[in-house]
Amino acid sequence: MADDAQRDAPWWTRSTVYQVYPRSFMDSDGDGIGDLGGVLQRVDHLADLGVDVLWLSPVYRSPQDDNGYDISDYHDVDPVFGTLEQLDELIEQLHARGIRLLMDLVVNHTSDEHPWFTESRSSPSSPKRDWYWWRPPREGMAAGAPGAEPTNWESFFSGPAWELDEASGEYYLHLFSRKQPDLNWENPEVRHAVYAMMRWWLDRGVDGFRMDVINLISKRVGPDGRLHDGPVADGSRYGDRSGETVCGPRIHEFLAEMHREVFEGRRAFDGGPLLTVGEMPGVTVEEARLFTDPARREVDMVFQFEHVGLDHGPAGKFDPRPVDLRDLKATFGRWQAGLADVGWNSLYWDNHDQPRAVSRFGDDSEEHRRDSATCLATLLHLHRGTPYVYQGEEIGMANVPFQRLLDLRDLESLRWANEQEAAGRDVADLLPGLRAHSRDNARTPVQWDATPQAGFTAGEPWIEVNPDHVRWNVEAQRDDEGSVLAHHRRLIGLRKDLDVVALGDFEMLLPEHEQVYAFRRTLPGADPAAVLVVCNVGGSAVDLGELLPEAVGLPLVLGSLGEPQQAAVLRPWEARVLRTDA
């Protein structure tokens, strides 16, 4: 390798993270809901894939209003998912295979059934009243009157971000569901209670945290304690909360304090550093450089959302539009350049909140599904950063052909549909947007085999299995070297084997081409010292010889379609990783 700094790069530069959304991963007891027993049954699938980290979505005790992201007890496992003893066993089984466990940390808000909020709500004079954001009605207005909310902010899940507590006549803030009241991080008692809980989990053996919407914990508070309205867009009933809640004035202070109080001096099970990942809607490249600068000791990487907003139309996420590949290049390229010398990128297409990549950015038709899935995987994994694979992505799982609102379970989707229906829109007009972008696309059960419930459960699943599981499942792909699953294994291995993939510099090529995504990775002193990546992100062949003649005839490191049929022609959805000396 080129120098000591590269030799001593953190372990996650060569690693791949796999996300498990337990409700939909594997059911061990036949109740139709995935659980920790099911995860234990499938640990060898993760080991076979070659991943280094399991990110486990919330399994804490919860009323399940938002599928576990509304936590009522941070120190226990919800019975629907199993027991603390099973979680301890999972940690042991993962560590035995060299896999770390990353817990999902949700501390912007709790459940309204958490004892902290129950006490806070009990009286305006409660010692925990200031653990949450309580405010009186807008000046001169009666509690409960239209528009009397303390600010005009809109919830992420539609409707106002404030809920009236009739007993006290005050409102509490909930940026998400009304059953997810926001914690008041301005209160040091809140912060230190959170830090104590985090240390408790590290003591049990977890290896770090993925922090849910962590850049929302600092709100912009006036000197008088007031929160302020956001701007109202044309045609909107509510104000944009972003300027008042995203990356607020004390966010860096809070995260640095968290690092000192929780992570300083601690190590993972194998002696390596712990991993901290911040989910940060609305974060900019400039802010991400600060958050992920190792010298600042805040977080190791962030999840940004720019690329998953490219297909949102003027009316929002349920108003889908095609993605222009040039826009995707501009976004990815900006993040690669911005974090080139400081910080680190997280790389993802899918997660529990996003529709399936092969349907969204690829082509999920029978003709192109396998090839577009492997092309997209190659494109992503060859960037500089740590790739994240969401359950089912490794077999090319696709969006679901939802036919009715009754088929949906996602709180965000249903609230939006109800709001639109109340405004006079026909349900038939809503379904295309919901099919494209409902979070339920990511939450149908993992397709293990071709049996009636896809091998997920012996009972009735909490949400219907995608009918395409008969063709697209783990069992069908496990021993098929031409499968999406096999290609993911090779990509994960490539990051471990080649220094240039893990640590090389990134250079975007052909930024204005509408179909070919090409870039170069270079690391002087490595073997190879450079790779050229060319991806045909479309359903028609491309003349590579005319477009990028230096790519023709180079040795193939990895091809999504195997050996090229013609060196100068990229087949539809073909991706090649090519060895080059410059």
Side-chain angles (χ1 to χ4, degrees):
M1 295 180 63
D3 56 39
D4 290 341
Q6 291 166 340
R7 187 176 297 110
D8 297 334
W11 59 263
W12 52 79
T13 60
R14 298 180 179 278
S15 298
T16 301
V17 181
Y18 186 96
Q19 183 190 356
V20 164
Y21 186 74
R23 174 175 288 270
S24 301
F25 189 67
M26 179 70 198
D27 172 25
S28 68
D29 59 11
D31 67 354
I33 299 173
D35 48 41
L36 290 172
V39 180
L40 282 163
Q41 290 177 11
R42 300 292 186 177
V43 167
D44 283 334
H45 174 71
L46 307 182
D48 174 68
L49 190 57
V51 299
D52 306 275
V53 182
L54 166 59
W55 156 23
L56 186 67
S57 287
V59 293
Y60 312 94
R61 192 174 286 270
S62 166
Q64 304 295 322
D65 180 64
D66 188 26
N67 287 345
Y69 284 84
D70 50 316
I71 297 169
S72 58
D73 186 348
Y74 287 106
H75 294 89
D76 199 6
V77 169
D78 195 285
V80 75
F81 295 127
T83 65
L84 270 175
E85 290 71 25
Q86 285 180 306
L87 187 51
D88 291 339
E89 183 183 356
L90 178 61
I91 294 170
E92 180 181 343
Q93 292 296 323
L94 290 170
H95 287 176
R97 292 162 175 80
I99 301 173
R100 296 166 175 83
L101 179 64
L102 193 69
M103 290 286 282
D104 219 324
L105 182 72
V106 188
V107 290
N108 174 71
H109 48 266
T110 68
S111 166
D112 65 344
E113 297 181 32
H114 193 290
W116 295 347
F117 187 74
T118 302
E119 169 60 33
S120 179
R121 192 176 201 166
S122 66
S123 167
S125 60
S126 165
K128 283 189 167 58
R129 188 69 167 185
D130 195 37
W131 281 45
Y132 295 84
W133 294 93
W134 290 95
R135 293 292 185 272
R138 190 177 293 269
E139 188 174 353
M141 300 190 72
E149 292 84 6
T151 71
N152 65 356
W153 301 349
E154 183 174 18
S155 159
F156 278 90
F157 290 169
S158 302
W162 295 90
E163 181 74 8
L164 175 63
D165 174 58
E166 294 188 359
S168 66
E170 290 191 332
Y171 292 82
Y172 65 84
L173 176 66
H174 59 91
L175 293 182
F176 294 86
S177 162
R178 64 179 180 81
K179 290 184 66 63
Q180 293 171 296
D182 279 46
L183 284 165
N184 178 11
W185 275 69
E186 298 292 317
N187 186 333
E189 292 181 2
V190 169
R191 302 199 301 274
H192 289 285
V194 168
Y195 303 156
M197 174 269 293
M198 294 171 70
R199 291 191 294 267
W200 185 86
W201 280 108
L202 294 179
D203 289 343
R204 292 196 85 91
V206 306
D207 303 291
F209 297 96
R210 175 267 186 188
M211 305 180 190
D212 189 66
V213 296
I214 198 67
N215 65 325
L216 304 184
I217 60 176
S218 172
K219 277 69 170 175
R220 299 187 189 279
V221 188
D224 57 358
R226 291 181 60 192
L227 301 169
H228 300 283
D229 286 344
V232 180
D234 290 343
S236 177
R237 295 173 58 192
Y238 303 104
D240 181 0
R241 72 202 160 260
S242 301
E244 307 301 317
T245 61
V246 173
C247 297
R250 300 186 68 187
I251 184 61
H252 294 289
E253 174 193 345
F254 292 160
L255 291 179
E257 179 185 72
M258 178 189 289
H259 190 279
R260 290 193 306 272
E261 294 288 330
V262 178
F263 301 108
E264 198 74 55
R266 287 181 177 260
R267 311 295 283 180
F269 79 99
D270 60 353
L274 299 166
L275 178 62
T276 56
V277 184
E279 183 199 32
M280 298 192 178
V283 70
T284 66
V285 175
E286 293 73 25
E287 290 163 338
R289 284 176 61 89
L290 297 176
F291 285 121
T292 63
D293 181 349
R296 293 174 60 89
R297 298 177 180 270
E298 296 184 24
V299 295
D300 298 313
M301 63 189 89
V302 303
F303 281 132
Q304 56 88 12
F305 288 76
E306 284 188 18
H307 66 294
V308 294
L310 294 176
D311 57 355
H312 295 184
K317 68 179 287 185
F318 296 115
D319 176 26
R321 63 183 181 184
V323 176
D324 187 319
L325 186 66
R326 295 168 297 183
D327 293 337
L328 184 67
K329 293 179 194 180
T331 290
F332 277 175
R334 184 168 57 256
W335 281 86
Q336 289 286 303
L339 300 185
D341 58 334
V342 173
W344 194 248
N345 273 290
S346 57
L347 310 172
Y348 74 96
W349 291 124
D350 285 352
N351 62 38
H352 63 288
D353 284 335
Q354 302 297 330
R356 292 289 181 176
V358 71
S359 301
R360 186 181 201 178
F361 299 104
D363 181 344
D364 61 9
S365 68
E366 191 63 27
E367 179 183 8
H368 293 304
R369 180 163 167 181
R370 182 265 170 212
D371 295 349
S372 67
T374 55
C375 176
L376 291 173
T378 306
L379 189 160
L380 187 82
H381 282 247
L382 267 292
H383 279 68
R384 189 173 190 269
T386 298
Y388 287 72
V389 177
Y390 178 67
Q391 61 185 42
E393 183 179 355
E394 74 274 23
I395 60 169
M397 281 182 63
N399 280 0
V400 183
F402 296 115
Q403 300 299 314
R404 308 168 300 164
L405 289 182
L406 290 174
D407 296 332
L408 299 172
R409 300 291 181 271
D410 173 38
L411 179 65
E412 178 192 37
S413 298
L414 293 172
R415 285 198 64 172
W416 176 80
N418 290 339
E419 187 178 80
Q420 296 300 307
E421 278 193 275
R425 293 187 63 186
D426 189 272
V427 172
D429 295 333
L430 306 179
L431 283 171
L434 291 165
R435 286 193 198 103
H437 280 156
S438 173
R439 299 189 301 178
D440 282 331
N441 284 302
R443 299 177 181 186
T444 57
V446 172
Q447 297 162 200
W448 297 105
D449 59 38
T451 58
Q453 302 302 350
F456 165 72
T457 182
E460 289 294 319
W462 72 277
I463 188 172
E464 288 188 14
V465 171
N466 194 323
D468 70 9
H469 74 277
V470 176
R471 164 74 173 83
W472 295 89
N473 61 73
V474 172
E475 186 176 66
Q477 297 188 31
R478 183 177 290 115
D479 299 321
D480 179 0
E481 285 303 307
S483 67
V484 180
L485 179 59
H487 192 69
H488 272 86
R489 289 194 201 106
R490 290 189 284 267
L491 287 169
I492 291 166
L494 200 65
R495 177 167 293 274
K496 291 179 168 66
D497 295 341
L498 298 187
D499 294 338
V500 68
V501 174
L503 299 169
D505 292 338
F506 177 96
E507 178 190 4
M508 184 70 76
L509 307 174
L510 308 175
E512 295 304 317
H513 199 276
E514 297 182 2
Q515 187 169 332
V516 172
Y517 194 119
F519 55 94
R520 183 182 285 111
R521 302 287 309 282
T522 56
L523 186 65
D527 182 22
V531 291
L532 181 62
V533 182
V534 289
C535 305
N536 180 6
V537 188
S540 60
V542 171
D543 187 337
L544 186 61
E546 179 181 329
L547 188 63
L548 206 62
E550 63 266 37
V552 177
L554 291 174
L556 185 71
V557 176
L558 180 64
S560 67
L561 302 184
E563 290 292 332
Q565 290 181 348
Q566 295 177 274
V569 177
L570 280 176
R571 286 170 281 175
W573 294 104
E574 182 177 11
R576 300 177 191 171
V577 183
L578 303 164
R579 182 184 181 115
T580 177
D581 294 327

